Amino acid sequence: MLVQKYKDMLSGRSVIRQLAEFAAARGREIGYEKVFDYSLGNPSVPVPQDFTNEMVKMLTSQDSVELHGYSPNLGITSVREAIAASLEKRFGLPYRKEHIFMASGAAGALAHAFRLVTEPGDEILTFAPFFPEYHPYVDLTGAVLKVVPPDTENFQINFEAFEEMLTEKVMAVLINTPNNPSGVVYSAETLRKMADILNQKSIQYGHEIYLISDEPYREIVFEGVDAPCVSQFYDNTIMCYSFSKSLSLPGERIGYVAVNPACKDAEIMVNMCVQISRGIGHNCPPSIIQLAVSKVLDRTSDLKVYETNMNILYEELMDLGFTCVKPGGTFYIFPKALEEDAKVFCEKALKYDLVLVPGDTFGAPGFFRMAYCIDTEKVKRSLPALRKFVQETYR
Amino acid sequence: MLVQKYKDMLSGRSVIRQLAEFAAARGREIGYEKVFDYSLGNPSVPVPQDFTNEMVKMLTSQDSVELHGYSPNLGITSVREAIAASLEKRFGLPYRKEHIFMASGAAGALAHAFRLVTEPGDEILTFAPFFPEYHPYVDLTGAVLKVVPPDTENFQINFEAFEEMLTEKVMAVLINTPNNPSGVVYSAETLRKMADILNQKSIQYGHEIYLISDEPYREIVFEGVDAPCVSQFYDNTIMCYSFSKSLSLPGERIGYVAVNPACKDAEIMVNMCVQISRGIGHNCPPSIIQLAVSKVLDRTSDLKVYETNMNILYEELMDLGFTCVKPGGTFYIFPKALEEDAKVFCEKALKYDLVLVPGDTFGAPGFFRMAYCIDTEKVKRSLPALRKFVQETYR
């Protein structure tokens, strides 16, 4: 018999995916250039040329048996060493290869982190607005994801609600800064206050509360914005990183877990990740991709376009009278809808071929997300449609 | 707190890995060319040049945003279509893309298959000798792997024991043909008899019993050997395939699940795989590797060397008086040790720098495995050592 819980999931379709499919269908109908698809968070800028060059160089000059061979389960040693050195240089924490476990993107890294520190029934707290895939990621481990309601003023942390929900059953807290969908970067003040609470509650409850820091947008931070390193604030931090956004290669599935060197049993944790892998069908991330990213660790794609797009959109949204926290990074913006039900608001926008995602999906009803990882030219062309939609519908 | 079950696994070290580490250390000491390392099943022949050419072509000519973008969760549509067409042509079953789910190697494919058809507490039967990683693969899902003792005469199936163990709790049967470690290929007679029993018991128990067919060695079959397609014998078959061995790229993590078109709810099963992925941190296999293998589906590496090596070893083993079933494929051979305890036998062989793996690990005590995916020249050089070991120790 097929397992019912997965069968049941088939009916619950992702809102984002439905909207993306609508955009694709509409594009086939009227031409893709006329559909303003702000639904999907897919990088829109090329991979750095150095990455491609490194790939070609390896393919054309290296022994293929060695190149495409199994990597050790922890990841290729030289790659882990290079990542540790890069993190140490950048953040001043004494990372060594013993703290690094290579994973298949952030999804793969998170799958290991959750299993490291929670048993079925344990709770993980996260903060709205949040990436909706966290639910299946956590729920299917048997742990329970609880969502702290948003601080809608600035999308930092609602500390009152957090302290209330941080019970003895909570084994981990999951954060995502710079944040999908708000684009907001947690301030040093926010991280310090959160760390204080976690330290205090860990002592009170007599067990560690781990901080799982999901950082795929770490490299997309806008000018003048201070994006503090989460691991500097709290010892028991498990960083989950992905190269998907920084190098524009989401399809190649490459990222890592970096356990804070100050974390209790840090080296054991990395070896435990190997055991976790055996249970979830992970073996190693693709060898050639591991090697290629290790050569361009301190490079990124040309990410400027995201800031350009954000500024254009933010200015227009302000001008149209929207309430909106200005993003500090990512390629998302998360304004307040012009009517209470953001689902209705986004539904109405579709008539103007504007594909926006209601905030309900992200645990913040009344808001909507725009993923502006599209051409600047298209962002500009979308402004009249946005203006027309607002003026015809809400004036 | 760190999760105890993974912590506990840290002390249980893999025998194969320990032996491989011994071989590596000994190699550093006396020179690698002097160590006859038969421990690891890693391909030793180059990837087909066409694969490399396709990779380079894509990297140098295709838009990188598209090339390295997310693949759909099921896998890239054109890749699934190509695989379905290739399977249909080859095995005569009406495969369509709706039956194909792209996975990260056989480990990834199996992780999905087990979760499709078993809940915690359900049983999966497999047959000794068997790939020891099946234990963590299954055990960590919460299902229970039970091992049917071997038919040591020919390493086909011990049907008496099988029928006895095939209780109502068994939801799936897991087979691996051509087999690691025996090198044996299940005959049509074996597969037919097994299918008859599964059909009969499915009716008797009122639930499907799925056959999970792990086929990474499908393309390594020796001259004159008939290697029947498992899916042709039993409707409810879930094929788990990996390109690791056929194309010599185990590190690039590429394979697939192919649900038999005759399987009840085949299309639903493939969509359920996507839901399973969300819980285990899989997203899609590397995009560029999916595309590259789809261009060389009907090619393999030059696999002849494995047969050459097998014949040399088999002849020598026979000449030395070993009892041994002649392999029909793979790059393994599984002779009977010359004393009751194969662990002691393999321990003694180490003194001659022969690295052999005791069969206890594979559920068949008293036998030992040799993985002859090494240079033929080295196989030949190992023969005097093997002869010396046997003559000095057992004459």
Side-chain angles (χ1 to χ4, degrees):
Chain A
M1 288 169 301
L2 301 181
V3 170
Q4 198 58 40
K5 72 174 170 184
Y6 296 116
K7 234 178 175 174
D8 291 344
M9 288 173 75
L10 293 176
S11 52
R13 305 207 46 226
S14 149
V15 176
I16 301 175
R17 201 157 278 256
Q18 282 179 58
L19 285 164
E21 281 167 16
F22 169 89
R26 182 76 177 141
R28 281 190 294 274
E29 200 182 310
I30 63 165
Y32 293 101
E33 72 289 356
K34 291 184 191 149
V35 182
F36 306 113
D37 182 5
Y38 286 109
S39 67
L40 278 184
N42 267 339
S44 61
V45 292
V47 77
Q49 187 59 42
D50 287 357
F51 174 88
T52 304
N53 295 348
E54 290 291 345
M55 290 279 286
V56 172
K57 197 169 106 188
M58 285 189 283
L59 285 162
T60 51
S61 70
Q62 247 181 265
D63 171 52
S64 81
V65 173
E66 206 177 297
L67 178 61
H68 301 299
Y70 279 114
S71 115
N73 299 134
L74 287 163
I76 296 171
T77 306
S78 64
V79 175
R80 293 164 60 218
E81 281 167 350
I83 289 171
S86 163
L87 288 174
E88 180 178 33
K89 190 173 159 199
R90 180 135 168 227
F91 300 121
L93 300 173
Y95 285 100
R96 296 293 174 267
K97 71 170 188 299
E98 285 73 17
H99 307 115
I100 310 296
F101 173 79
M102 298 306 297
S104 296
L110 289 168
H112 287 85
F114 297 146
R115 285 164 174 83
L116 265 178
V117 299
T118 64
E119 306 253 18
D122 289 345
E123 289 184 9
I124 297 179
L125 287 190
T126 197
F127 302 96
F130 71 105
F131 178 48
E133 282 297 294
Y134 287 165
H135 258 305
Y137 287 2
V138 171
D139 297 350
L140 290 171
T141 68
V144 180
L145 184 72
K146 297 234 165 149
V147 181
V148 178
D151 166 3
T152 54
E153 283 306 298
N154 52 28
F155 293 126
Q156 298 283 323
I157 287 178
N158 178 340
F159 280 105
E160 200 178 330
F162 174 45
E163 291 201 65
E164 205 167 290
M165 294 175 72
L166 189 55
T167 68
E168 201 163 356
K169 292 175 78 173
V170 176
M171 294 298 164
V173 170
L174 168 62
I175 64 170
N176 171 222
T177 173
N179 181 266
N180 173 11
S182 73
V184 161
V185 177
Y186 284 174
S187 67
E189 190 194 336
T190 294
L191 293 172
R192 205 171 296 121
K193 196 163 167 188
M194 183 183 59
D196 285 347
I197 294 168
L198 291 177
N199 279 320
Q200 180 203 316
K201 292 288 183 182
S202 295
I203 294 168
Q204 183 182 330
Y205 298 147
H207 63 75
E208 289 84 22
I209 304 171
Y210 290 90
L211 181 61
I212 300 174
S213 180
D214 178 24
E215 307 190 2
Y217 301 100
R218 188 175 70 204
E219 307 306 331
I220 314 183
V221 174
F222 303 146
E223 218 189 306
V225 176
D226 176 37
C229 167
V230 173
S231 300
Q232 287 172 348
F233 290 79
Y234 187 64
D235 284 353
N236 288 322
T237 299
I238 305 170
M239 179 199 293
C240 293
Y241 185 72
S242 162
F243 292 95
S244 295
K245 273 71 182 185
S246 60
L247 294 176
S248 297
L249 29 81
E252 309 306 357
R253 316 309 304 135
I254 184 77
Y256 57 80
V257 172
V259 178
N260 192 336
C263 191
K264 196 167 158 268
D265 294 325
E267 291 86 356
I268 287 183
M269 290 166 73
V270 166
N271 283 305
M272 283 171 68
C273 283
V274 173
Q275 306 307 324
I276 292 168
S277 290
R278 299 165 85 186
I280 61 176
H282 174 76
N283 206 303
C284 56
S287 297
I288 189 172
I289 310 288
Q290 287 190 59
L291 292 165
V293 299
S294 77
K295 305 287 172 57
V296 295
L297 281 182
D298 300 320
R299 302 286 311 274
T300 66
S301 296
D302 184 358
L303 305 167
K304 283 193 310 289
V305 61
Y306 302 134
E307 183 161 7
T308 304
N309 292 355
M310 185 278 289
N311 281 321
I312 293 170
L313 275 178
Y314 181 73
E315 200 173 308
E316 183 74 5
L317 288 162
M318 290 290 106
D319 199 52
L320 289 170
F322 280 89
T323 304
C324 181
V325 181
K326 189 172 186 181
T330 75
F331 37 59
Y332 306 109
I333 192 166
F334 201 60
K336 200 166 189 309
L338 294 179
E339 60 183 292
E340 203 180 332
D341 189 338
K343 292 197 292 284
V344 175
F345 174 84
C346 294
E347 186 71 37
K348 290 177 182 168
L350 286 179
K351 284 173 215 140
Y352 298 82
D353 293 313
L354 285 162
V355 188
L356 318 173
V357 182
D360 306 65
T361 297
F362 307 100
F367 293 80
F368 66 97
R369 187 186 80 170
M370 300 176 82
Y372 45 82
C373 36
I374 61 176
D375 284 348
T376 301
E377 174 273 326
K378 200 171 197 180
V379 172
K380 284 181 182 161
R381 276 200 296 108
S382 78
L383 301 183
L386 185 62
R387 184 164 290 267
K388 197 167 174 226
F389 159 51
V390 169
Q391 287 180 343
E392 289 183 358
T393 320
Y394 298 100
R395 293 280 148 86
Chain B
M1 287 168 304
L2 300 181
V3 170
Q4 197 59 39
K5 73 174 168 185
Y6 296 115
K7 234 177 174 172
D8 290 346
M9 288 172 75
L10 293 177
S11 51
R13 305 207 46 227
S14 149
V15 175
I16 301 176
R17 201 157 280 258
Q18 281 179 58
L19 284 163
E21 282 167 16
F22 168 88
R26 181 76 177 142
R28 280 190 295 274
E29 200 181 311
I30 63 166
Y32 294 102
E33 73 288 355
K34 291 185 193 149
V35 182
F36 306 112
D37 182 6
Y38 285 109
S39 67
L40 277 185
N42 267 339
S44 62
V45 292
V47 77
Q49 187 60 42
D50 287 358
F51 174 89
T52 304
N53 295 347
E54 290 292 345
M55 290 280 286
V56 171
K57 197 168 105 188
M58 287 189 282
L59 285 162
T60 51
S61 70
Q62 247 180 265
D63 172 52
S64 81
V65 172
E66 206 177 297
L67 178 62
H68 300 299
Y70 278 115
S71 116
N73 299 132
L74 287 164
I76 296 172
T77 306
S78 63
V79 175
R80 293 164 60 220
E81 281 167 350
I83 289 171
S86 162
L87 289 175
E88 180 179 32
K89 190 173 159 197
R90 179 134 170 227
F91 300 122
L93 300 173
Y95 285 100
R96 297 293 173 267
K97 71 171 187 297
E98 285 72 17
H99 307 115
I100 309 295
F101 173 79
M102 298 306 297
S104 297
L110 290 169
H112 287 85
F114 296 146
R115 285 164 175 83
L116 266 178
V117 299
T118 63
E119 308 252 18
D122 289 346
E123 288 183 10
I124 297 179
L125 287 191
T126 197
F127 301 96
F130 71 106
F131 178 47
E133 281 297 293
Y134 288 165
H135 257 305
Y137 288 3
V138 171
D139 297 350
L140 290 171
T141 69
V144 180
L145 183 73
K146 297 236 167 146
V147 181
V148 179
D151 167 2
T152 52
E153 281 308 298
N154 52 27
F155 294 126
Q156 298 282 324
I157 287 178
N158 177 341
F159 280 105
E160 199 179 331
F162 175 43
E163 291 201 63
E164 204 168 291
M165 293 176 73
L166 189 55
T167 68
E168 202 164 355
K169 293 176 77 175
V170 176
M171 295 299 165
V173 170
L174 168 61
I175 63 171
N176 171 221
T177 173
N179 181 265
N180 173 11
S182 74
V184 161
V185 178
Y186 283 175
S187 68
E189 190 194 337
T190 294
L191 293 172
R192 204 171 296 122
K193 194 164 170 188
M194 183 182 59
D196 286 346
I197 294 169
L198 290 177
N199 279 320
Q200 180 204 317
K201 292 288 182 181
S202 294
I203 294 169
Q204 183 183 332
Y205 298 147
H207 64 74
E208 290 83 24
I209 304 170
Y210 291 90
L211 181 61
I212 300 174
S213 178
D214 179 23
E215 308 190 2
Y217 301 99
R218 188 175 70 205
E219 308 305 332
I220 314 181
V221 175
F222 303 146
E223 218 189 305
V225 177
D226 176 37
C229 166
V230 173
S231 300
Q232 288 173 348
F233 290 79
Y234 187 64
D235 285 353
N236 288 322
T237 299
I238 306 171
M239 178 200 292
C240 294
Y241 186 72
S242 162
F243 293 94
S244 294
K245 272 72 181 185
S246 60
L247 294 176
S248 297
L249 28 82
E252 309 305 358
R253 314 310 305 136
I254 185 77
Y256 57 80
V257 173
V259 178
N260 192 336
C263 189
K264 197 168 158 264
D265 294 325
E267 292 87 355
I268 288 182
M269 289 166 72
V270 165
N271 283 305
M272 284 171 68
C273 283
V274 173
Q275 306 306 324
I276 292 169
S277 289
R278 299 165 85 186
I280 61 176
H282 174 76
N283 207 302
C284 56
S287 297
I288 190 171
I289 309 288
Q290 287 190 59
L291 292 166
V293 298
S294 77
K295 305 289 171 56
V296 295
L297 281 181
D298 300 319
R299 300 287 312 274
T300 66
S301 296
D302 183 358
L303 305 167
K304 282 192 311 288
V305 60
Y306 302 135
E307 184 162 5
T308 305
N309 292 354
M310 184 278 289
N311 281 321
I312 294 169
L313 276 178
Y314 181 74
E315 200 173 309
E316 182 74 5
L317 287 161
M318 289 291 105
D319 200 52
L320 288 170
F322 281 89
T323 304
C324 180
V325 181
K326 191 173 184 180
T330 75
F331 37 59
Y332 305 109
I333 191 165
F334 200 60
K336 200 165 189 309
L338 295 180
E339 60 183 292
E340 204 180 332
D341 189 338
K343 294 198 292 284
V344 176
F345 174 83
C346 294
E347 185 71 38
K348 289 179 183 168
L350 286 179
K351 282 174 217 139
Y352 297 82
D353 292 313
L354 284 162
V355 187
L356 318 173
V357 182
D360 307 65
T361 297
F362 307 100
F367 293 81
F368 66 98
R369 187 186 81 169
M370 299 175 83
Y372 45 83
C373 37
I374 62 175
D375 285 347
T376 301
E377 173 273 327
K378 201 171 196 179
V379 173
K380 285 181 182 160
R381 276 201 294 110
S382 78
L383 301 183
L386 184 62
R387 184 165 291 264
K388 196 166 174 227
F389 160 52
V390 169
Q391 289 179 341
E392 290 183 358
T393 320
Y394 298 100
R395 294 279 147 86

